[in-house]
């Protein structure tokens, strides 16, 4: 009996450790769709550092981030817990399609403009060698990224649902920043 209790305790600690690690530090995500082509492919597994979310700091320009696209609602710690894959599996909410993988284009205070098939940030056209094709999008006027928000876009600009449609992303909706695959052979 003592051995069974020991096994149960060990498994319990392992599950708690996996939950804490996945909620606050590191989590895998799967790319769903083609909005990040050619950088990331549909169904590709990526690994995300959640430290930016845990400590609420801004990602850098050009970072690939996972965002909660439900920008019209506030997030709480409960969302972080139920968003973990293990918890989602237990609750039956594992196929949540509200998480998007996008690239950071603008940070608070940036003035963005879309003209001449390019993105301009603070009056300067962005050099974007990662995009799939010339962007077929223009908008009248300039937009300013508000405090505590970012502006994100997919690399496949002509086939991406991003900040152009869903709006500015609150910093607390940035789930994490993609890191290089630690398990790939170099």
């Amino acid at each position: 009996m003592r051995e069974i209790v020991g096994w149960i305790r060990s498994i319990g600690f392992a599950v708690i450790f996996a939950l804490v690690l996945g909620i606050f530090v590191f989590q895998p995500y799967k790319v769903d769709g083609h909005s990040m082509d050619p950088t990331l492919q549909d169904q590709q597994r990526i690994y995300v550092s959640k430290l930016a979310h845990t400590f609420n700091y801004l990602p850098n320009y050009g970072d690939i981030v996972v965002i909660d696209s439900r920008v019209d609602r506030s997030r709480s710690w409960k969302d972080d817990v139920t968003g973990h894959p293990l918890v989602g599996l237990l609750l039956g909410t594992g196929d949540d399609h509200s998480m998007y993988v996008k690239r950071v284009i603008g940070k608070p205070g940036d003035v963005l403009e879309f003209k001449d098939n390019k993105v301009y940030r603070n009056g300067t056209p962005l050099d974007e060698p990662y995009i799939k094709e010339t962007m077929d999008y223009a908008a009248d006027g300039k937009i300013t990224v508000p405090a505590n928000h970012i502006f994100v876009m997919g690399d496949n600009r002509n086939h991406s649902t991003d900040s152009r449609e869903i709006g500015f992303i609150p910093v607390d909706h940035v789930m994490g920043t993609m890191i290089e695959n630690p398990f790939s052979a170099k």
Side-chain angles (χ1 to χ4, degrees), residues 7 11 16-17 28 49 66 77 85 141 152 154 168 179 185:
W7 275 100
I11 291 170
I16 290 169
F17 181 72
S49 168
V66 173
W77 64 270
V152 297
F168 301 109
I179 56 176

Side-chain angles (χ1 to χ4, degrees), residues 57-59 63 65-67 103-108 112 145-152 163 167-171 173-174:
Y57 63 81
L58 285 172
D63 281 352
V65 294
V66 173
I67 61 161
R103 188 176 298 272
V104 176
I105 302 300
K107 296 184 350 181
L112 302 175
V145 181
N148 299 315
H149 288 75
I150 61 171
F151 190 93
V152 297
S163 287
F168 301 109
I169 309 301
V171 173
H173 282 56
V174 177

Side-chain angles (χ1 to χ4, degrees), residues 2-26:
R2 188 173 278 174
E3 188 173 331
I4 292 172
V5 170
W7 275 100
I8 291 172
R9 184 179 300 140
S10 295
I11 291 170
F13 284 133
V15 167
I16 290 169
F17 181 72
L19 285 172
V20 169
L21 192 66
I23 292 169
F24 299 109
V25 181
F26 173 83

Side-chain angles (χ1 to χ4, degrees), residues 63-124:
D63 281 352
I64 295 174
V65 294
V66 173
I67 61 161
D68 182 343
S69 66
R70 301 168 298 180
V71 298
D72 55 339
R73 64 186 279 283
S74 296
R75 285 190 53 86
S76 70
W77 64 270
K78 183 179 176 185
D79 292 313
D80 293 337
V81 172
T82 58
H84 188 280
L86 183 58
V87 175
L89 181 67
L90 294 173
L91 295 176
T93 59
D95 287 336
D96 183 5
H97 293 290
S98 65
M99 300 298 166
Y100 290 178
V101 178
K102 303 295 174 192
R103 188 176 298 272
V104 176
I105 302 300
K107 296 184 350 181
D110 286 335
V111 177
L112 302 175
E113 219 176 340
F114 304 94
K115 63 182 183 181
D116 306 325
N117 300 331
K118 293 185 181 230
V119 178
Y120 289 75
R121 181 174 54 227
N122 302 322
T124 304

Side-chain angles (χ1 to χ4, degrees), residues 31-68:
V31 176
D32 186 17
H34 297 278
S35 72
M36 285 300 290
D37 287 348
T39 308
L40 302 172
Q41 283 69 51
D42 184 33
Q43 302 303 305
Q44 180 177 344
R45 180 133 338 249
I46 62 171
Y47 299 91
V48 172
S49 168
K50 297 188 85 175
L51 295 176
H53 181 68
T54 300
F55 296 110
N56 202 29
Y57 63 81
L58 285 172
N60 294 318
Y61 294 119
D63 281 352
I64 295 174
V65 294
V66 173
I67 61 161
D68 182 343

